[in-house]
């Protein structure tokens, strides 16, 4: 694993301290340090595999434990990303972003991608990975189609009211929820919002620039239209069977065009 020197020093200093806790069955790592092209800006994504009988106790001590393993600057739990098992931290200085994910040993095999095992006390981690393959999350295009035209109408209402901050923020939401995953799907990558699109899908990333705008009503209307155009083109590719909401599309687009025309 080729990692930047700061990340390497962190791992070299921290892993021996973690190993001293007999409740930890092993440590694995995911993210760009494993599967991407790590640089000095990369996070460290650690998985702490905890013996089942000790898991509840360890979960109550997580911040204290992390503070005993490394120089903890600040940390909080990851409920906002749907993962309360994660403690998101800054350690240092020099500052480094490290996510510590605490999982039960019996749950370690449940994963969407293969991590790299950094150490494995009794071979439990390697056995778990060998017994169960990763489950790549399905990309549910029907889920998006069922919502997209309602979202378009919502964006149009905010544009019509002159709530440009809300409109700009909503365009960001559509890029992260719809267009970014569709772009990744086009190149066979795992959808992760708009993460790494400039690298993994450069052509699609260039197209996404049309969905950006400044604090300007005309630009925001143009960006909404560009969002719709990319959704139509990218969601039609790949041969997925989707029940299209044509009536909702027609009415939502009529509304959006009316709002844009009223602002001219």
């Amino acid at each position: 694993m080729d990692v930047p020197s700061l990340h390497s020093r962190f791992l070299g200093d921290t892993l021996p301290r973690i190993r001293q806790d007999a409740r930890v069955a092993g440590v694995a790592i995911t993210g760009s340090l494993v599967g991407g092209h790590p640089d000095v800006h990369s996070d460290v994504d650690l998985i702490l595999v905890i013996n089942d009988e000790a898991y509840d106790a360890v979960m109550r001590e997580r911040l204290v434990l992390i503070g005993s393993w490394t120089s903890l600057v600040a940390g909080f739990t990851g409920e906002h990303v749907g993962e309360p098992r994660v403690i998101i931290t800054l350690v240092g200085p020099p500052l480094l972003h490290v996510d510590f994910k605490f999982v039960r040993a019996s749950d370690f095999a449940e994963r969407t991608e293969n991590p790299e095992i950094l150490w494995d006390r009794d071979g439990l981690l390697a056995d778990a990975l060998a017994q169960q393959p990763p489950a790549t999350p399905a990309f549910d295009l029907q889920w998006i189609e069922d919502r997209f035209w309602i979202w378009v109408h919502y964006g149009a209402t905010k544009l019509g009211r002159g709530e440009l901050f809300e409109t700009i923020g909503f365009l960001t939401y559509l890029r992260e929820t719809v267009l970014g995953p569709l772009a990744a799907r086009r190149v066979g990558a795992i959808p992760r919002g708009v993460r790494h699109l400039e690298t993994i899908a450069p052509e699609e990333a260039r197209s996404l620039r049309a969905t950006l705008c400044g604090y300007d009503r005309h630009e925001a209307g143009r960006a909404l239209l560009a969002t719709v155009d990319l959704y139509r083109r990218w969601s039609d590719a790949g041969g997925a069977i989707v029940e299209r909401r044509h009536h909702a599309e027609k009415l939502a687009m009529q509304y959006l065009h009316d709002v844009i025309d009223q602002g001219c």
Side-chain angles (χ1 to χ4, degrees):
M1 183 171 56
D2 185 19
V3 300
S5 59
L6 173 61
H7 302 64
S8 180
R9 288 197 303 272
F10 164 78
L11 293 172
D13 292 341
T14 305
L15 290 176
R17 296 170 184 161
I18 298 175
R19 295 186 68 160
Q20 294 175 13
D21 193 326
R23 300 172 297 180
V24 182
V27 178
I29 188 168
T30 63
S32 61
L33 291 186
V34 175
H37 302 281
D39 57 32
V40 295
H41 305 293
S42 296
D43 302 341
V44 178
D45 300 296
L46 293 180
I47 302 175
L48 289 300
V49 183
I50 310 300
N51 293 326
D52 283 21
E53 65 275 10
Y55 185 76
D56 290 340
V58 168
M59 289 292 280
R60 291 191 294 268
E61 303 170 19
R62 285 177 295 172
L63 282 170
V64 173
L65 285 172
I66 293 169
S68 72
W69 296 335
T70 188
S71 299
L72 177 63
V73 176
F76 61 93
T77 53
E79 286 88 353
H80 70 292
V81 292
E83 187 47 272
R85 297 177 297 177
V86 171
I87 300 289
I88 300 166
T89 73
L90 284 177
V91 304
L95 289 179
L96 181 63
H97 180 130
V98 183
D99 291 345
F100 294 84
K101 181 178 179 180
F102 294 75
V103 304
R104 297 180 189 272
S106 58
D107 294 334
F108 176 64
E110 298 176 4
R111 63 201 189 280
T112 58
E113 59 185 339
N114 280 326
E116 180 171 325
I117 297 172
L118 297 180
W119 65 268
D120 192 353
R121 191 181 300 278
D122 299 311
L124 183 150
L125 277 65
D127 289 345
L129 296 186
Q131 292 174 13
Q132 182 175 325
T136 302
F139 184 76
D140 191 347
L141 191 53
Q142 187 65 60
W143 184 91
I144 293 175
E145 173 68 15
D146 291 344
R147 292 158 175 77
F148 186 75
W149 304 110
I150 300 172
W151 286 337
V152 169
H153 176 265
Y154 176 86
T157 64
K158 303 313 168 191
L159 179 66
R161 188 181 285 164
E163 295 184 39
L164 295 185
F165 287 125
E166 179 68 16
T167 306
I168 293 167
F170 193 63
L171 284 163
T172 299
Y173 173 80
L174 292 179
R175 277 192 300 275
E176 294 177 347
T177 306
V178 179
L179 297 182
L182 282 172
R185 172 175 171 262
R186 284 169 60 84
V187 298
I190 296 176
R192 301 180 188 277
V194 294
R195 293 291 308 279
H196 304 298
L197 284 184
E198 293 88 348
T199 302
I200 64 173
E203 181 179 340
E204 287 76 9
R206 284 191 291 272
S207 297
L208 278 175
R209 295 177 190 175
T211 69
L212 301 172
C213 67
Y215 189 80
D216 178 89
R217 192 183 192 281
H218 174 74
E219 288 187 17
R222 173 196 51 75
L224 277 168
L225 291 175
T227 298
V228 170
D229 177 63
L230 287 177
Y231 172 69
R232 284 170 167 162
R233 289 195 281 126
W234 291 354
S235 65
D236 282 341
I241 299 175
V242 178
E243 182 181 353
R244 297 295 179 180
R245 306 305 183 189
H246 294 297
H247 186 57
E249 176 181 0
K250 177 182 177 180
L251 294 178
M253 290 307 298
Q254 179 180 325
Y255 184 88
L256 174 58
H257 282 294
D258 287 345
V259 167
I260 292 173
D261 291 343
Q262 290 167 10
C264 294

